[in-house]
Amino acid sequence: NMAPVPPGIRLLVSFNRDQWYRALTFALTFLLYTSFHLSRKPISIVKVTLQQNLRDCEPSVSSLHTDVDCSWKPFDKSNYKQLLGAMDYSFLCAYAVGMYLSGIIGERLPIRLYLTVGMLTSGLFTCLFGLGYVYNIHNLTFYIVVANGLVQTTGWPSVVTCIGNWFGKGRRGLIMGLWNSHTSVGNILGSLIAGYWVSSNWGMSFIVPGLIIAAMGVVCFLFLIERKFSPLIGRLSEDKHNNPITLTQYSSISIVIGRCHSADPRESHTTGGLFLQGVIEFSLSLLFAKLVSYTFLFWLPLYITKAAHLDAKRAGDLSTLFDVGGIVGGVLAGVTSDKLGKRASTCAVMLLLAAPMLYGFSMISEFGLGPTIGMLLVCGGLVNGPYALITTAVSADLGTHKSLKGNARALSTVTAIIDGTGSVGAAVGPLLAGLLSAGGWHRVFYMLMTADFLALLLLLRLVMKELTSSKSRPISAVE
């Protein structure tokens, strides 16, 4: 008699090839975009070291040189916050512009190759930033150039396109909330890796993440299956309306305007209706929500160092709690909106609750460690929850209404508009933080509370329509 098959093996063979490829795509795109955020996070940790000794410097007699015990030149002057803010702005401004242009640049390339090249070049520039420490480089232009946000824009449209091709456009809050946690996971890992070396050799805080994202680029080249139909694996499924999403379709904003004048009446009506039925509100709301989120991403460790009087490593480790809260907040927002069928209302409630938490965060120096940890977790959930929901499940809702009849272009176009507009806020927030913090951190938090209020205000029309609707459903649907 043959030995019984172990239950684990029976479980493994119960999945068909399509399901295995879906699981691989889900896990691989999660890890790939985790590495993107892992390579972005070190600058916020290293900021503390770049200027931490400023208060110990004595005025130098020479007007040409600064005391050697001062912070890393050129960030050793009293306007270091503005310089750091300018560096953030150059990165995020290039990122915002590149988000719209990314599809055009890579329109003739397979997604796998395009993403691989983007990850390898991202790794190169991240390592170059760290080599500035190794080779004792003190030129501001060098750091602005190597903090290259343009090459990072290859990530988001590519992974979203792959997920869209494999899972379709009908995925909802829970799945998208879990998948979108790659942002927070990357931030946490980036903080821990950068924090390990920040006080001894901050160059390694960049070199190690740079090597990781480059290595993941190689993994991407070897294993990423970008769509269901491939010469390698054959046609896994067939749907005459579910064409693979291309990067050009993802990034082209002109599709929305062009379809309004399309020769196809159905496409003209549906896409134009979608544009009027929520894309503008969600896009502008995300602009302000992402402004708040990215300000925390780039400035939280430095703020904790100044307000709580902690060293760079402890501040970096503590800041990861904000992203832990963000993971929980993203999943909670997805599950809640799934059950209620009200995306805008879920975002609005979280934005409303975030405002008092932001005010409390401005007085962190008056609290002990316990309340600070609690505020980091809760504030991370309330700030990143709406951000995660809008960039994933809301975009899926806007692109999956029945009147579209499986038109894949709607999802890719709407996602490009929403996330591209949000990236503008991501560029502006850290820059304003650098300028306003010179007059006191309380000004930064007033700015964040104002942005949070504006994000809420922009959703009010959609919230009212959801509350007055006779059926519980996402407001993004076309009537």
Side-chain angles (χ1 to χ4, degrees):
N1 294 330
M2 295 181 60
V5 179
I9 299 299
R10 289 203 302 269
L11 176 64
L12 292 177
V13 299
S14 67
F15 297 105
N16 60 39
R17 185 173 60 177
D18 187 13
Q19 291 171 321
W20 277 114
Y21 285 137
R22 285 173 183 267
L24 174 64
T25 302
F26 184 93
L28 186 56
T29 53
F30 181 95
L31 293 174
L32 293 178
Y33 206 68
T34 293
S35 68
F36 271 98
H37 265 265
L38 181 149
S39 68
R40 294 177 199 172
K41 185 63 177 180
I43 184 60
S44 67
I45 306 297
V46 174
K47 277 178 181 177
V48 180
T49 296
L50 293 178
Q51 53 73 52
Q52 66 180 354
N53 298 320
L54 182 63
R55 59 182 178 276
D56 300 324
C57 295
E58 297 293 336
S60 176
V61 176
S62 171
S63 61
L64 299 177
H65 303 286
T66 308
D67 193 312
V68 293
D69 292 328
C70 289
S71 299
W72 193 265
K73 299 176 183 178
F75 306 103
D76 58 340
K77 303 295 190 296
S78 58
N79 66 337
Y80 71 91
K81 291 180 181 178
Q82 289 88 333
L83 295 179
L84 293 171
M87 189 167 61
D88 291 343
Y89 180 73
S90 66
F91 172 89
L92 292 166
C93 187
Y95 184 83
V97 173
M99 186 60 70
Y100 289 112
L101 300 177
S102 183
I104 299 174
I105 296 172
E107 63 182 346
R108 291 179 173 85
L109 295 174
I111 294 174
R112 180 173 60 90
L113 296 179
Y114 181 62
L115 184 55
T116 297
V117 171
M119 298 184 76
L120 291 175
T121 52
S122 294
L124 172 64
F125 281 106
T126 304
C127 288
L128 285 175
F129 200 107
L131 290 175
Y133 175 86
V134 176
Y135 292 101
N136 204 30
I137 299 174
H138 298 278
N139 187 290
L140 179 62
T141 303
F142 170 81
Y143 292 105
I144 289 177
V145 170
V146 298
N148 194 318
L150 191 62
V151 294
Q152 290 262 336
T153 61
T154 59
W156 183 246
S158 298
V159 296
V160 169
T161 300
C162 289
I163 287 292
N165 286 339
W166 273 99
F167 290 90
K169 306 175 295 300
R171 296 295 163 180
R172 290 299 183 261
L174 175 60
I175 297 298
M176 300 302 272
L178 289 171
W179 181 74
N180 200 56
S181 65
H182 49 46
T183 298
S184 295
V185 172
N187 291 341
I188 292 170
L189 294 177
S191 297
L192 295 176
I193 292 172
Y196 183 81
W197 280 285
V198 66
S199 299
S200 57
N201 181 355
W202 64 257
M204 294 298 293
S205 297
F206 290 91
I207 293 174
V208 172
L211 294 175
I212 290 175
I213 189 174
M216 290 303 299
V218 176
V219 173
C220 170
F221 176 79
L222 294 175
F223 295 103
L224 183 65
I225 306 171
E226 60 191 67
R227 57 177 179 256
K228 292 183 181 181
F229 177 76
S230 168
L232 175 65
I233 61 176
R235 188 182 299 276
L236 299 181
S237 65
E238 187 171 0
D239 180 354
K240 64 181 180 179
H241 295 296
N242 190 23
N243 299 317
I245 304 170
T246 66
L247 288 174
T248 306
Q249 292 167 348
Y250 175 91
S251 299
S252 178
I253 304 305
S254 62
I255 293 177
V256 170
I257 301 174
R259 294 241 180 252
C260 291
H261 303 283
S262 171
D264 185 334
R266 179 182 64 82
E267 291 185 344
S268 171
H269 170 72
T270 56
T271 308
L274 279 169
F275 187 77
L276 295 175
Q277 286 294 329
V279 176
I280 292 178
E281 289 94 332
F282 277 121
S283 297
L284 294 178
S285 180
L286 181 64
L287 186 152
F288 292 107
K290 208 166 182 179
L291 183 153
V292 177
S293 180
Y294 267 66
T295 300
F296 274 98
L297 172 66
F298 279 84
W299 287 93
L300 180 58
L302 180 60
Y303 172 69
I304 292 176
T305 300
K306 301 299 182 182
H309 308 291
L310 299 176
D311 60 41
K313 186 180 186 308
R314 290 189 64 192
D317 292 345
L318 196 61
S319 70
T320 62
L321 295 175
F322 182 85
D323 292 295
V324 172
I327 295 174
V328 177
V331 175
L332 183 62
V335 172
T336 302
S337 64
D338 277 348
K339 290 186 177 297
L340 300 179
K342 293 175 170 54
R343 308 292 193 202
S345 299
T346 302
C347 291
V349 170
M350 298 186 81
L351 290 168
L352 181 63
L353 295 175
M357 292 304 301
L358 290 171
Y359 179 75
F361 216 91
S362 67
M363 300 183 293
I364 192 176
S365 60
E366 302 176 14
F367 302 130
L369 183 61
T372 299
I373 291 175
M375 291 185 65
L376 280 166
L377 291 169
V378 175
C379 198
L382 294 175
V383 167
N384 285 340
Y387 162 36
L389 186 62
I390 293 174
T391 56
T392 54
V394 165
S395 294
D397 288 344
L398 285 162
T400 55
H401 190 257
K402 60 184 180 181
S403 63
L404 294 175
K405 302 187 185 302
N407 184 356
R409 292 185 179 88
L411 172 61
S412 57
T413 303
V414 165
T415 306
I417 296 171
I418 291 177
D419 200 64
T421 304
S423 296
V424 175
V428 172
L431 175 67
L432 292 178
L435 298 174
L436 295 174
S437 60
W441 286 102
H442 64 282
R443 295 186 178 182
V444 176
F445 284 96
Y446 288 149
M447 180 264 290
L448 296 179
M449 285 185 283
T450 301
D452 180 81
F453 175 76
L454 291 173
L456 172 62
L457 191 65
L458 287 162
L459 293 178
L460 287 182
R461 185 185 74 84
L462 303 181
V463 171
M464 293 302 296
K465 191 168 184 180
E466 283 183 348
L467 295 178
T468 56
S469 176
S470 58
K471 297 181 180 179
S472 294
R473 57 181 180 181
I475 189 61
S476 54
V478 180
E479 296 297 334

